[in-house]
Each structure stands twice: as structure tokens, then as C-alpha cells.
Amino acid sequence: IGRGRLSNRTQCLSPPLATPLGSRVSFTEDSTPGAFRVNSDGAKAHRVLLVPACGGTPRPFLPSAVEAVWSPDHNHLAVYQPDPGDPIYVADRNGGSPARICVDKPGLHQHYLSWPPDSRYIHFVRGRPLDGMDVWRVAATGGAAEGRTTHKSRVSHPTLTAQRTLTYVRPHSHGPGSR
């Protein structure tokens, strides 16, 4: 944006990111590289790749993570892994020294990580996709997760947009999705 030209940051990786095999693109406000997830072709294996902010060849970053979101100061990142209970980890900016901060029971999922500007909590969606999901949060240092909504709906992408405004996506049939 603002450069007057388009730039292909993913270098036409296969599979294309527009398919269900690739998703979860995340960027930062500074020159920190962007990250995106690509599933292995025809497999359930995942990997997160880093791409330089100004272009270049994507490089392997986190071989078994599904999602990566940077802390507001860009010194840490939160990821979850596709293991039973979708454990959430906080690691250093290079993906090293991961500390598990939250895990749920096998069969339940924890997706759509979001790290708000105050850095105190990581928001995410927890539940069973077919039975309903809700927005939860856990302290970035770990501890018991706290439920923030009680929709039992198909919610996703929680984002703290102001000090006390949590915005997220949920199906239209349930009304507005802001609390």
C-alpha cells in the first residue's frame, strides 16, 4: 500500500494460498517479516513460513504450528499446534523457547489467536466447530483461560479494538458480533 505497485510476497508457492490448504496471513506494522501458514500437499501437516516484509523468498519458520501472531512489541509470538486440545504456546520472536500457556481437552479446539495492544492477554476461539465456539482469553504468561462470550456459535477472529471493545465474527443469523 502506498508504493504504487503490487508485489507478490509468497512467490507463487504451491499450493496457492487461496485454497483451504493455505491461510492465516499475518503482518506487523514495522519491518518484521510477515508469516503465513501452508498445509503440506494432501496431508494434515502444517508449517508456518516467514516472508520478508519487502519481498524475497519465504523461509520455513515453525514446522508444526498452525498459526502465529506477534506480540505488540514484536518480541514474542503466540502459536497453537494441532495436537490434542490445540495447545497454545508463547515463544521468542524466532520461535524459540516455547512455553505452553493453555491447552484444552482432546476433541476441543483453540483457534484464531489475537494478541491485543496491551499485551496482557491472548484472545482465541474455543470449542467444537459443529457444537459451537466462543471467545476466550488467557494471560500471555499462562494460567486459566476465561470465557468472554456464551454464543456457542461459529465465532472467529476475535480482536480487541479498544480498551473495552471486543470485536469478532459470527454468523449473521445470530445478530451483531460485538460485545
Side-chain angles (χ1 to χ4, degrees):
I1 295 176
R3 295 177 59 186
R5 64 182 175 87
L6 297 176
S7 178
N8 181 346
R9 298 291 191 245
T10 61
Q11 305 297 312
C12 298
L13 286 174
S14 178
L17 291 177
T19 71
L21 295 175
S23 62
R24 304 290 192 276
V25 178
S26 67
F27 296 98
T28 61
E29 296 138 13
D30 63 6
S31 60
T32 302
F36 58 93
R37 175 187 121 198
V38 177
N39 290 11
S40 299
D41 290 322
K44 291 192 175 199
H46 304 282
R47 60 190 169 124
V48 172
L49 304 177
L50 277 186
V51 62
C54 294
T57 304
R59 66 177 175 87
F61 182 47
L62 301 169
S64 63
V66 178
E67 202 171 332
V69 293
W70 272 269
S71 63
D73 66 4
H74 311 299
N75 288 323
H76 295 89
L77 58 105
V79 300
Y80 81 85
Q81 293 187 331
D83 295 328
D86 289 344
I88 298 172
Y89 295 85
V90 170
D92 65 29
R93 70 178 292 129
N94 297 313
S97 304
R100 188 172 80 180
I101 63 165
C102 185
V103 66
D104 208 332
K105 298 177 193 113
L108 294 176
H109 297 279
Q110 302 185 134
H111 299 174
Y112 302 107
L113 306 179
S114 172
W115 207 322
D118 70 4
S119 297
R120 293 177 38 212
Y121 294 96
I122 296 168
H123 289 83
F124 58 96
V125 172
R126 176 186 269 184
R128 288 187 175 90
L130 297 177
D131 296 338
M133 309 284 277
D134 275 299
V135 177
W136 289 68
R137 74 179 185 181
V138 64
T141 56
E146 305 171 324
R148 307 303 291 162
T149 66
T150 56
H151 299 302
K152 301 227 181 286
S153 180
R154 189 91 175 140
V155 298
S156 65
H157 301 90
T159 303
L160 195 64
T161 56
Q163 184 65 19
R164 297 183 48 85
T165 303
L166 176 64
T167 303
Y168 50 93
V169 176
R170 73 175 180 161
H172 176 60
S173 63
H174 297 287
S178 182
R179 178 178 179 201

